[in-house]
Amino acid sequence: DTAVSQTPKYLVTQMGNDKSIKCEQNLGHDTMYWYKQDSKKFLKIMFSYNNKELIINETVPNRFSPKSPDKAHLNLHINSLELGDSAVYFCASSGGTGANEKLFFGSGTQLSVL
Amino acid sequence: KNEVEQSPQNLTAQEGEFITINCSYSVGISALHWLQQHPGGGIVSLFMLSSGKKKHGRLIATINIQEKHSSLHITASHPRDSAVYICAVAGGTSYGKLTFGQGTILTVHP
């Protein structure tokens, strides 16, 4: 069983569309995250949720809205997609919010906006 | 200048060689992570350090808090070690807010 699973793995869409990426973890973790990896492979945190509560929102445009229906799921909705949103998006989870918590990553979703 | 700098950016080695990847950071941290990203894209956490040294198989990670520096060593390198190695640092109450280095692309030839 995959510990952190995200779908879809690839997402190709037109500018202006609305799309969602789903993430689920079966590790019993309290904290989930979304990270963005740009074309230069730089990773940057977007959101952090702890027990369904938003903890971090890192100056992400409000076209991006995370939704956490329960602590095992953190989905990412993106409205009015723009070319610059093309990137790889990684979901991750950890047991807690401390700096020394090990992160478990999903396999990534490669989003291409045409 | 990034808060987390890795060197080298690209590293090519022959199978069996000892490899060192360096990470320097300019901010106060409470933990440093080493991550591995395989060509398929998946990211795996290798180590988490707040002091000293950790070893797992052929991988060794060290950190010097005073010098704000960490190293990842791979002994007896193998082609399957080919990947991008990423250093990331976490502040005090980080809530997973890691600051990442740009990654080191390692290629090990047979």
Side-chain angles (χ1 to χ4, degrees):
Chain A
D1 275 351
T2 304
V4 181
S5 59
Q6 55 182 108
T7 55
K9 187 164 177 61
Y10 300 97
L11 185 52
V12 181
T13 188
Q14 299 287 331
M15 249 185 348
N17 284 349
D18 303 337
K19 290 292 177 186
S20 295
I21 306 172
K22 295 186 176 181
C23 180
E24 176 182 5
Q25 53 93 6
N26 62 8
L27 298 167
H29 285 167
D30 288 336
T31 311
M32 296 185 72
Y33 315 86
W34 278 107
Y35 290 90
K36 179 180 180 181
Q37 187 174 42
D38 63 22
S39 57
K40 294 184 180 177
K41 303 296 184 184
F42 252 112
L43 278 159
K44 191 169 183 181
I45 190 163
M46 300 173 68
F47 300 103
S48 167
Y49 267 71
N50 180 250
N51 271 322
K52 302 193 298 174
E53 298 290 327
L54 179 65
I55 302 295
I56 293 176
N57 181 344
E58 273 295 293
T59 60
V60 177
N62 57 15
R63 297 182 296 103
F64 290 78
S65 55
K67 297 279 193 302
S68 182
D70 55 61
K71 72 175 192 177
H73 295 84
L74 182 62
N75 304 321
L76 184 64
H77 302 276
I78 315 169
N79 295 326
S80 303
L81 277 155
E82 300 178 358
L83 293 175
D85 298 331
S86 296
V88 182
Y89 293 85
F90 285 95
C91 176
S93 72
S94 65
T97 56
N100 58 352
E101 293 286 343
K102 181 175 177 178
L103 289 170
F104 293 79
F105 287 84
S107 56
T109 296
Q110 186 167 331
L111 172 64
S112 299
V113 182
L114 308 176
Chain B
K1 185 171 165 48
N2 293 326
E3 291 179 338
V4 182
E5 291 279 349
Q6 289 183 232
S7 63
Q9 291 192 27
N10 286 280
L11 182 55
T12 301
Q14 289 298 125
E15 185 172 356
E17 286 183 357
F18 180 84
I19 287 162
T20 296
I21 300 170
N22 296 300
C23 175
S24 296
Y25 52 92
S26 57
V27 295
I29 69 166
S30 51
L32 182 142
H33 297 246
W34 280 103
L35 309 172
Q36 180 191 55
Q37 184 169 24
H38 271 285
I43 299 174
V44 175
S45 175
L46 295 176
F47 293 104
M48 199 167 48
L49 296 162
S50 54
S51 65
K53 173 180 173 179
K54 286 191 177 180
K55 184 175 189 291
H56 185 259
R58 296 179 294 104
L59 301 178
I60 303 166
T62 64
I63 188 169
N64 185 318
I65 296 291
Q66 287 74 30
E67 294 185 5
K68 293 187 165 62
H69 181 269
S70 175
S71 293
L72 176 68
H73 306 284
I74 305 175
T75 60
S77 59
H78 190 276
R80 65 174 173 266
D81 297 326
S82 298
V84 179
Y85 292 84
I86 302 168
C87 169
V89 300
T93 311
S94 70
Y95 299 118
K97 186 178 174 179
L98 299 178
T99 301
F100 295 86
Q102 78 275 33
T104 294
I105 303 171
L106 171 65
T107 305
V108 181
H109 294 294

